[in-house]
């Protein structure tokens, strides 16, 4: 196992700078997820750690070794790709053991490693089949087995579940989490799916335009996003954000948003002509007569079984509320909603930073 340290890492493609002086510490045995929109630089960061992309500037260390100029095969890392990258003409047993064979291992030494990896991933019954005879989830387990068999210091995952259907993605998420608990190896996982990042990682790193916007435990990013971008990116469905105003009196402050004026109590806000305020769909609940904070008109209803998404209109703004599935709802009706002031998030409308 090994820690990973990135010091002022820069990656340029000609005149285009893809990664802008990134600093990051990944502890030994930690599971870290890189997440962000397409083109944010998350896969580029992973490929630089693997040695598949050259570093333009900065220092990259794995364990105690600087690895900037080290070949991928010498970094003691194993990578699991999105497209499995299995050899179709080889059996599953041969695919898993291929890397060790190329390193000059003897067959009698490879066999127990392959069996051990297959047992961990529950694919022992498929060892004599070809990849084309397996499902997508089974093939991804084979790709993981090929990484496990090497017993590397670091596992790298590049969007490994994006080609699977929804049910298989959930199953494989559980499998990867079990794997980390069992092996305790440092893992770096790239995904565009913030749900994967939240459920798998000890630490989530949110990237945008080649910069780290925020890093920390998943619940810290969910509860205390440092900017509007993170607030809207982390959480599903995404945070509702309104434009509003803060009006100040001697005793208290009030938040004015479309159709509502909300008493914030004696919060430390000065009067502001403009503020962005966020509230998560799951923090909205039906209000009793006289206590409503928001009056909205239901536009679309999305039943999900355990709960129901109500997509509503509040003036010109759209609002999503996650409500109990037993609550009677109908498109076109008005709904009165309330929330705890402690669940509000305030952002500067110009910088996007948390206030």
């Amino acid at each position: 196992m090994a820690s990973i340290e990135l010091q002022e890492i820069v990656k340029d493609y000609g005149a285009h700078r893809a990664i802008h002086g990134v600093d990051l510490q990944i502890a030994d045995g930690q599971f870290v997820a890189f997440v962000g929109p397409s083109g944010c630089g998350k896969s580029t960061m992973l490929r630089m750690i693997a040695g598949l992309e050259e570093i333009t500037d900065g220092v990259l260390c794995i364990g105690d070794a600087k690895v900037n100029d080290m070949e991928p095969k010498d970094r003691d890392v194993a990578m699991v790709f999105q497209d499995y990258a299995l050899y179709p003409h080889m059996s599953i047993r041969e695919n898993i053991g291929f890397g060790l064979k190329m390193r000059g291992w003897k067959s009698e030494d490879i066999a127990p490693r392959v069996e051990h990896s297959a047992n961990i991933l529950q694919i022992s019954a498929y060892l004599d089949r070809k990849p084309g005879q397996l499902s997508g989830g089974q093939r991804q387990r084979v790709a993981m087995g090929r990484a496990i068999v090497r017993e590397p210091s670091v596992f790298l995952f590049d969007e490994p579940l994006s080609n699977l259907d929804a049910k298989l993605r959930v199953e494989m998420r559980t499998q990867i989490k079990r794997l980390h608990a069992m092996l305790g190896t440092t893992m770096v996982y790239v995904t565009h799916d913030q749900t994967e990042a939240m459920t798998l990682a000890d630490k989530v790193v949110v990237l945008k335009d080649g910069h780290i916007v925020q890093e920390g435990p998943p619940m810290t990013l969910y509860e205390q996003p440092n900017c509007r971008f993170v607030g809207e990116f982390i959480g599903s469905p995404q945070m509702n954000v309104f434009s509003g105003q803060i009006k100040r009196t001697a005793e208290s402050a009030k938040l004015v948003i479309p159709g509502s004026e909300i008493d914030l109590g004696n919060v430390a806000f000065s009067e502001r002509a403009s503020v962005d305020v966020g509230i998560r769909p799951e923090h909205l609940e039906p209000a009793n007569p006289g206590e409503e904070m928001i009056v909205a008109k239901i536009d679309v209803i999305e039943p999900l079984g355990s709960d129901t998404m109500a997509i509503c209109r509040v003036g010109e703004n759209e609002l999503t509320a996650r409500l109990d599935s037993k609550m009677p709802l109908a498109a076109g009706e008005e709904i009165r909603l309330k929330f705890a002031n402690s669940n509000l998030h305030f952002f500067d409308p110009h910088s996007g930073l948390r206030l």
Side-chain angles (χ1 to χ4, degrees):
M1 295 188 287
S3 60
I4 303 171
E5 184 175 3
L6 287 76
Q7 303 172 16
E8 298 184 2
I9 292 294
V10 172
K11 176 61 182 178
D12 292 336
Y13 293 102
H16 171 66
R17 178 150 293 183
I19 303 294
H20 300 259
V22 163
D23 292 299
L24 181 65
Q25 298 263 359
I26 298 174
D28 186 7
Q30 196 169 34
F31 195 129
V32 173
F34 294 165
V35 66
S38 297
C40 69
K42 55 189 184 293
S43 289
T44 301
M45 293 252 292
L46 192 79
R47 291 174 65 82
M48 285 193 288
I49 294 170
L52 303 177
E53 292 279 1
E54 289 186 5
I55 296 168
T56 304
D57 200 5
V59 175
L60 173 62
C61 296
I62 299 178
D64 297 325
K66 178 182 174 181
V67 300
N68 288 50
D69 302 318
M70 193 178 289
E71 291 294 319
K73 63 183 178 62
D74 300 323
R75 297 190 181 198
D76 197 21
V77 302
M79 193 159 178
V80 179
F81 295 92
Q82 177 180 345
D83 60 359
Y84 321 135
L86 303 178
Y87 296 104
H89 62 286
M90 292 184 184
S91 68
I92 302 309
R93 188 187 309 276
E94 292 168 328
N95 264 285
I96 293 175
F98 184 73
L100 298 181
K101 182 178 178 181
M102 293 301 291
R103 285 168 172 75
W105 283 50
K106 296 179 180 178
S107 297
E108 57 267 30
D109 297 324
I110 294 174
R113 285 277 196 104
V114 170
E115 292 286 350
H116 178 63
S117 296
N119 285 335
I120 289 173
L121 294 167
Q122 301 174 2
I123 52 173
S124 298
Y126 312 127
L127 285 175
D128 295 316
R129 298 187 189 180
K130 299 288 178 64
Q133 297 173 287
L134 304 185
S135 69
Q138 291 165 343
R139 276 178 280 176
Q140 192 56 274
R141 290 191 199 187
V142 175
M144 289 164 57
R146 187 174 52 195
I148 291 170
V149 78
R150 291 174 48 195
E151 298 183 359
S153 297
V154 176
F155 284 104
L156 306 176
F157 295 87
D158 190 7
E159 303 206 41
L161 309 185
S162 60
N163 286 338
L164 305 181
D165 62 37
K167 183 174 182 293
L168 276 175
R169 281 203 301 273
V170 173
E171 291 177 3
M172 288 304 299
R173 278 208 312 261
T174 304
Q175 188 74 44
I176 291 170
K177 191 137 190 171
R178 284 187 184 135
L179 186 65
H180 182 251
M182 187 183 305
L183 301 178
T185 308
T186 307
M187 294 186 177
V188 185
Y189 188 101
V190 162
T191 179
H192 64 275
D193 185 338
Q194 55 87 28
T195 301
E196 282 182 23
M198 291 281 289
T199 54
L200 286 171
D202 307 319
K203 177 161 78 172
V204 175
V205 179
V206 182
L207 291 113
K208 180 185 180 187
D209 299 331
H211 297 272
I212 292 178
V213 183
Q214 188 174 1
E215 60 177 279
M219 288 310 296
T220 298
L221 272 62
Y222 173 82
E223 293 173 347
Q224 298 175 332
N226 66 2
C227 63
R228 176 172 173 169
F229 175 80
V230 175
E232 291 184 302
F233 196 85
I234 298 295
S236 180
Q238 76 174 36
M239 178 186 287
N240 301 295
V241 179
F242 296 100
S243 294
Q245 293 176 272
I246 302 290
K247 289 187 175 180
R248 186 88 213 173
T249 66
E251 298 80 23
S252 67
K254 290 191 174 182
L255 170 66
V256 181
I257 59 175
S260 299
E261 192 169 290
I262 300 154
D263 190 350
L264 297 176
N266 194 26
V267 296
F269 273 126
S270 58
E271 189 159 313
R272 296 179 65 99
S274 181
V275 64
D276 286 347
V277 57
I279 181 73
R280 295 197 180 278
E282 53 271 30
H283 293 153
L284 291 162
E285 56 182 310
N288 296 316
E291 65 176 5
E292 67 269 5
M293 294 179 174
I294 295 177
V295 179
K297 186 173 183 180
I298 300 174
D299 192 13
V300 176
I301 297 169
E302 295 180 347
L304 298 177
S306 59
D307 45 35
T308 297
M309 296 298 170
I311 294 89
C312 310
R313 305 298 304 181
V314 181
E316 296 181 358
N317 296 285
E318 186 174 275
L319 173 145
T320 299
R322 189 171 208 145
L323 303 170
D324 192 307
S325 61
K326 296 182 177 63
M327 183 177 176
L329 300 169
E333 288 186 351
E334 279 193 348
I335 184 170
R336 288 166 165 75
L337 300 168
K338 64 179 181 178
F339 50 82
N341 287 350
S342 59
N343 287 325
L344 293 176
H345 303 265
F346 296 95
F347 307 104
D348 184 281
H350 304 295
S351 68
L353 296 178
R354 186 182 186 89
L355 296 172

